[in-house]
Amino acid sequence: MQQAISTMLKVTVLSLFHLFTFSLLSAQPTDSTQIRTSVNMLGVGHTNILDTYLSQEKFSGIGFSYLNMSERENPNCDWTTVLQQEVNFSSTNDRSDKVNELEGSYSLFWGKYHVWRMAENRLKLQAGGLIGGHLGFIYNTSNSNNPAQARLAAQLMPSGIATYDFTLWKKHFALRYELDLPLVGIMFSPNYGQSYYEIFSQGNYDHNIVPTTFISAPNLRQQLSIDWNAGRTWTLRIGYLGHYQQAQVNNLKSHIYAHRVMIGIVKRFQILRYRP
């Protein structure tokens, strides 16, 4: 059974690697002009954690995030390609302020969107889907047995984006909203009362690779931001990132609610693609 777990983990990691590689290969030269948008943002805000494998208590504290987004679009095509990377780290405490939990994660999202342009190109609507991969941990500094919980998951996520361009005080602004809703996926989880020693040293597999749906893992990720065109090739973006992750599998409950105030830079490049 240990071999089965190892195989599933390898398949997930390899799938994410091939997904990332495919996104890079899709950027190879073509005979058209492409517009590439690159976004780098930093954020800080509140984090709330519950993981009943480690503790029945809820933990809350401060968290930090880094978000990188890259979008490629062809003015002559109604499809765009998006790649997002999100890194989080949080330090939280229980209600007594005596027990500490640390949380960290890396998430990768890749997807395709169909584009509709309306209102004389001021309104852009995008609908499509993302494939999301997540790798992370939660560490309880007070537990002697089972002090840490590993987090590994992959999900298929329907997604939508709305962007509205407008002018105010002779300055160009853009209001953007994105909503991602995981539909189905898989995740790793120990079972209730099962230790990591049993899983990986003794090979006692107990439903540790779990299929998930929007019912067993009702998650939501949303972004709201406003852009101010401060330069010819770069834009200042300020916004909010909310990532609400929940799961109830193997008689265990968990959630991570992350709220971030984000600020960063948006750069746009017009690239002439060609076939060598």
Side-chain angles (χ1 to χ4, degrees):
M1 292 303 176
Q2 181 181 1
Q3 185 178 2
I5 297 175
S6 178
T7 300
M8 289 296 294
L9 295 178
K10 289 179 180 178
V11 168
T12 302
V13 172
L14 287 174
S15 297
L16 294 177
F17 174 77
H18 289 310
L19 177 63
F20 181 72
T21 303
F22 176 76
S23 68
L24 294 179
L25 291 177
S26 65
Q28 293 301 311
T30 63
D31 54 357
S32 62
T33 299
Q34 288 191 348
I35 298 175
R36 179 177 178 182
T37 302
S38 177
V39 183
N40 288 279
M41 304 185 73
L42 295 174
V44 61
H46 184 262
T47 302
N48 185 283
I49 299 174
L50 170 68
D51 193 308
T52 57
Y53 181 76
L54 300 175
S55 172
Q56 297 295 322
E57 285 284 339
K58 294 180 180 179
F59 291 74
S60 60
I62 192 169
F64 303 89
S65 295
Y66 167 71
L67 178 65
N68 171 264
M69 293 189 289
S70 178
E71 181 176 8
R72 296 191 309 276
E73 58 181 318
N74 188 324
N76 300 318
C77 180
D78 291 331
W79 290 89
T80 63
T81 302
V82 173
L83 177 68
Q84 298 191 34
Q85 300 180 80
E86 181 184 328
V87 180
N88 293 286
F89 179 79
S90 301
S91 178
T92 62
N93 296 284
D94 66 351
R95 290 175 294 179
S96 67
D97 205 26
K98 295 180 179 178
V99 182
N100 177 249
E101 279 191 350
L102 303 176
E103 179 269 335
S105 65
Y106 169 76
S107 300
L108 175 68
F109 306 94
W110 179 89
K112 288 277 191 178
Y113 292 86
H114 190 276
V115 181
W116 294 269
R117 293 177 174 85
M118 306 175 182
E120 298 179 348
N121 284 330
R122 293 194 305 272
L123 177 62
K124 182 172 76 170
L125 300 178
Q126 298 170 259
L130 298 170
I131 297 175
H134 312 276
L135 178 66
F137 70 91
I138 302 174
Y139 175 68
N140 188 302
T141 59
S142 299
N143 284 2
S144 56
N145 292 325
N146 300 331
Q149 170 75 300
R151 301 177 58 236
L152 180 64
Q155 297 166 323
L156 178 63
M157 311 167 67
S159 176
I161 304 173
T163 305
Y164 182 71
D165 295 325
F166 62 97
T167 301
L168 186 64
W169 303 309
K170 298 182 179 180
K171 301 292 184 179
H172 178 71
F173 295 88
L175 187 65
R176 181 184 185 275
Y177 178 73
E178 175 181 341
L179 179 64
D180 310 319
L181 294 169
L183 184 63
V184 294
I186 58 171
M187 67 176 292
F188 166 80
S189 173
N191 216 315
Y192 180 81
Q194 183 186 28
S195 69
Y196 278 81
Y197 175 79
E198 294 178 85
I199 299 174
F200 295 106
S201 295
Q202 297 183 342
N204 294 334
Y205 177 81
D206 189 9
H207 198 236
N208 301 123
I209 303 299
V210 187
T212 58
T213 68
F214 62 92
I215 297 176
S216 60
N219 300 338
L220 183 149
R221 181 174 181 262
Q222 62 178 345
Q223 300 178 55
L224 176 64
S225 62
I226 186 168
D227 294 354
W228 171 46
N229 190 3
R232 296 183 62 182
T233 60
W234 68 276
T235 298
L236 177 67
R237 174 172 291 184
I238 299 174
Y240 165 78
L241 170 65
H243 201 171
Y244 324 117
Q245 304 171 74
Q246 304 176 87
Q248 185 171 352
V249 298
N250 288 346
N251 299 306
L252 298 171
K253 293 183 179 180
S254 66
H255 73 232
I256 299 178
Y257 303 144
H259 306 271
R260 301 287 188 264
V261 176
M262 309 290 292
I263 185 169
I265 299 296
V266 182
K267 290 188 176 182
R268 292 180 175 87
F269 309 90
Q270 189 171 14
I271 304 173
L272 179 62
R273 300 292 186 178
Y274 64 95
R275 294 187 186 275

